[in-house]
Amino acid sequence: GESVGLHLPTLSVQEGDNSIINCAYSNSASDYFIWYKQESGKGPQFIIDIRSNMDKRQGQRVTVLLNKTVKHLSLQIAATQPGDSAVYFCAEKWSGNTGKLIFGQGTTLQVKP
Amino acid sequence: DVKVTQSSRYLVKRTGEKVFLECVQDMDHENMFWYRQDPGLGLRLIYFSYDVKMKEKGDIPEGYSVSREKKERFSLILESASTNQTSMYLCASRRDRNYGYTFGSGTRLTVV
């Protein structure tokens, strides 16, 4: 069905530790995935994306891993900082449809000083 | 820097009023979207447009309409505001279906 799920609603990490946010997607035909960050009172902000022909993509302090076998997506944040505290959404795009993004419910990342 | 600009950050309107939420993008993007975001319900698609003067219903279009007379502007209209339309409204745009969305900062609408 049309759903993208996250494994945990809230993740609490110590400043300086690495964070891993997980996402399960439902449609094996999805060909594009995105992670967004949303700070309180603001709109979602693009973090990183990955297409289905890749398994891993790195950005600045962030890495996205895609496991198509188990339909799993993860966002890794290295050396988590207080400014990383936010809600993180994964989104998938199904190939062959109108190209709308299907969003997950979001995981709240809390960074403890 | 590319931008999606929503005209108001906060709005308070009365029940029954006609409300216009404006969104402008400066990236020459083809596609534009309106979402509302509510606690526990996530992002829900209201309407979208793939080109000028084109519009398509999303998942929750009831009580809303849209207008896209120019490529850069996508307006959301609440024909007769009701209290259950109190929400955060997010506009987004993208180059085409092979890309992700760029979101605006959102408009928090309160209907009293």
Side-chain angles (χ1 to χ4, degrees):
Chain A
E2 286 196 9
S3 66
V4 178
L6 292 119
H7 292 304
L8 291 173
T10 303
L11 175 66
S12 185
V13 300
Q14 204 71 36
E15 181 179 355
D17 287 352
N18 296 334
S19 303
I20 300 176
I21 302 171
N22 295 305
C23 180
Y25 63 94
S26 60
N27 192 333
S28 57
S30 294
D31 62 357
Y32 180 54
F33 305 86
I34 308 172
W35 280 100
Y36 286 93
K37 171 187 179 183
Q38 187 175 24
E39 296 174 278
S40 181
K42 298 182 179 180
Q45 178 183 9
F46 172 92
I47 302 173
I48 192 167
D49 60 359
I50 187 168
R51 300 197 184 271
S52 58
N53 60 353
M54 301 173 69
D55 297 321
K56 179 179 179 179
R57 190 154 188 243
Q58 288 183 291
Q60 187 175 12
R61 280 202 308 120
V62 294
T63 301
V64 57
L65 298 177
L66 177 63
N67 185 331
K68 294 181 286 294
T69 302
V70 295
K71 292 186 288 186
H72 183 268
L73 188 70
S74 69
L75 176 71
Q76 299 178 0
I77 303 173
T80 311
Q81 302 169 0
D84 294 327
S85 294
V87 177
Y88 290 82
F89 295 93
C90 63
E92 63 176 317
K93 182 182 76 68
W94 299 355
S95 63
N97 77 338
T98 55
K100 291 181 295 183
L101 292 181
I102 309 299
F103 289 90
Q105 290 294 311
T107 292
T108 300
L109 177 65
Q110 297 174 340
V111 181
K112 296 178 288 186
Chain B
D1 199 12
V2 295
K3 277 189 176 176
V4 176
T5 302
Q6 293 184 233
S7 53
S8 303
R9 290 299 303 274
Y10 300 95
L11 275 179
V12 180
K13 296 292 182 180
R14 296 194 180 277
T15 301
E17 277 193 79
K18 190 170 186 177
V19 181
F20 293 85
L21 301 183
E22 305 289 344
C23 176
V24 177
Q25 50 95 3
D26 64 359
M27 298 166 282
D28 200 35
H29 282 178
E30 297 288 334
N31 306 162
M32 296 188 75
F33 304 81
W34 275 106
Y35 285 84
R36 64 178 284 177
Q37 186 177 34
D38 302 286
L41 297 176
L43 287 156
R44 293 183 290 168
L45 182 62
I46 306 171
Y47 265 96
F48 59 103
S49 168
Y50 280 162
D51 204 347
V52 178
K53 296 190 185 294
M54 291 180 63
K55 60 185 178 183
E56 293 191 46
K57 293 180 179 179
D59 302 317
I60 52 163
E62 296 78 19
Y64 304 94
S65 62
V66 290
S67 172
R68 194 167 180 203
E69 295 297 316
K70 294 185 178 181
K71 191 175 186 179
E72 67 271 18
R73 186 180 297 270
F74 192 36
S75 303
L76 179 70
I77 304 157
L78 286 66
E79 298 292 343
S80 177
S82 63
T83 54
N84 63 12
Q85 292 178 309
T86 291
S87 186
M88 170 72 117
Y89 288 87
L90 291 163
C91 176
S93 73
R94 70 177 177 191
R95 184 188 305 180
D96 58 45
R97 57 174 290 158
N98 295 309
Y99 292 85
Y101 302 166
T102 299
F103 282 91
S105 297
T107 296
R108 185 162 294 281
L109 173 67
T110 302
V111 182
V112 298

